[in-house]
Structure formats: C-alpha cells, structure tokens
Amino acid sequence: MKTTRFLLAAISGLALAFTLSSCGPSKAQQAATGGFETVKTPTDELLEIKKDMESKYIPCGIGIGESTDEMVARNVSGDAARTDMAQTLSNIVERLSESYAQNVNGEAKKIWEEGVRQSTHKELNGSTPYKVIPQFNKENGHWKVYSLYFLNPEFLKKAVQTATSSQEELELKVKKDDMMRKLDEGTAAYLEKSKK
C-alpha cells in the first residue's frame, strides 16, 4: 500500500512538473532571450519589397523619420531612404561589375564603377516613394514614417552605357548586351510597379 501511494505521489509530482514547465518559458529560455521578444515591424515588410526590387536591378532605399510634425517626419524618412538608396546603387554597380566585367583589369573596372556611381547619384533626387507607412503615437504626439523609395533603372542603364563607352577595355570585353538586357528587365519591372 505504501509503495502504491509513493508511486502515485511520484507520478503526480512528475505530471505537475511537466505541466508547469510546459505552461511558460523556462528560466533558460528567458535568460537566452534577455527579456527580448521577436516582433514584426513595418521595416520587415519594406525589406522584403526592397529585396525583390534589388534582384531586378531597381535601385531603392528604406528610411524612417520621426517628429511631432508629420511633414518633417516624411521628409526625414525620404532623405534617409535616398541615403540608403545610394548604398543600394553602389551594391548594384558592384554586382554588375562582378557579373559582366570579369575579364577587365582592376583599374579599368574601378574607373567604370566610379563613373556609373557618379552618374547615378545625381539622379537620387528623382526617386519617388513606392510605399509609405505613417504611424502616430497619441501618447506623445509623435509621427513615425517608414518609407521605401525607388528609382527608374533607366538612369542606371544610361550611366552604364556612358561609362562603358568611355572605357575602351570595357567596351571590348564586357558582356554588354546581357547587362543591358538585365537593366531593361529592371526598367520594365519598375514601370509595372510604378503603375500601382
């Protein structure tokens, strides 16, 4: 009888321990996260769109602005998006260079990349918002604006053509037709997205 009671008590204790441990995060789990929890923000959505656009050679950038004045928040967000777009343009130029100018010597390749970057950076002010997500905090009266701006890749194509034609080695060795086709596809995707 004592053995049966002991077994029932042990089983009950195990069941209770299992129930308590499955109800919430363990101390080890809480320590590992340091009190942080995973959240989804508007930036996550914009990053997905940006990733898709960049794969099609559409220059774009994300910006966040915050202010008590909505227009100031929008302007700060737009400026930050243009700054991010400048980095995106540099990455796209580097990708193009690696993909299509593999046989070109390092100095010519560097001059070409810089020529394309300089030409396209002039066009950043011509970028337009693709998606803007405004938020308002009633408690403190602040606006927070998340923006994704994009730029017609036609500017990039013209800059590539100009830089390529001024570099004799690139003119001869670069896989220009394939590169122009990719940029044309990007322009077509941009025009489709800008109809929205």
Side-chain angles (χ1 to χ4, degrees):
M1 186 79 167
K2 284 184 177 180
T3 307
T4 307
R5 281 187 192 162
F6 177 75
L7 272 164
L8 286 173
I11 291 171
S12 295
L14 285 173
L16 179 62
F18 177 75
T19 303
L20 290 175
S21 68
S22 65
C23 286
S26 69
K27 286 184 181 179
Q29 289 170 324
Q30 288 175 342
T33 60
F36 289 95
E37 62 181 85
T38 303
V39 296
K40 191 143 176 84
T41 70
T43 306
D44 297 322
E45 177 187 349
L46 297 180
L47 283 169
E48 285 299 313
I49 297 169
K50 181 180 179 189
K51 183 179 174 185
D52 177 57
M53 285 188 185
E54 285 179 356
S55 73
K56 296 176 174 88
Y57 296 99
I58 300 172
C60 56
I62 296 172
I64 302 170
E66 186 173 343
S67 175
T68 54
D69 183 292
E70 180 186 3
M71 284 313 294
V72 171
R74 285 179 182 272
N75 289 337
V76 169
S77 180
D79 290 344
R82 287 183 185 93
T83 300
D84 185 41
M85 191 183 311
Q87 181 59 50
T88 299
L89 273 167
S90 289
N91 293 343
I92 289 174
V93 170
E94 198 171 302
R95 266 181 35 217
L96 287 169
S97 176
E98 288 171 3
S99 298
Y100 300 107
Q102 295 152 341
N103 301 325
V104 179
N105 81 46
E107 188 59 31
K109 199 171 177 181
K110 187 176 171 184
I111 292 168
W112 178 81
E113 286 178 7
E114 191 53 39
V116 174
R117 283 189 185 103
Q118 285 177 358
S119 296
T120 53
H121 283 281
K122 293 176 200 168
E123 306 299 337
L124 287 176
N125 286 333
S127 61
T128 56
Y130 176 73
K131 184 161 186 152
V132 177
I133 304 169
Q135 294 182 337
F136 183 70
N137 185 329
K138 291 178 184 175
E139 291 176 20
N140 65 11
H142 278 234
W143 286 91
K144 193 167 200 175
V145 178
Y146 298 81
S147 300
L148 174 69
Y149 275 56
F150 69 155
L151 183 67
N152 189 336
E154 189 66 27
F155 294 118
L156 182 58
K157 181 181 173 186
K158 287 177 185 172
V160 165
Q161 287 172 323
T162 302
T164 303
S165 63
S166 67
Q167 283 287 322
E168 189 176 320
E169 185 177 354
L170 273 147
E171 183 69 50
L172 295 172
K173 292 183 178 177
V174 77
K175 300 174 194 168
K176 190 173 167 184
D177 293 338
D178 192 31
M179 182 170 29
M180 291 302 128
R181 184 181 54 76
K182 285 284 186 198
L183 292 172
D184 285 338
E185 288 171 7
T187 300
Y190 167 84
L191 293 172
E192 185 63 33
K193 288 181 181 298
S194 62
K195 287 179 186 175
K196 292 180 180 179

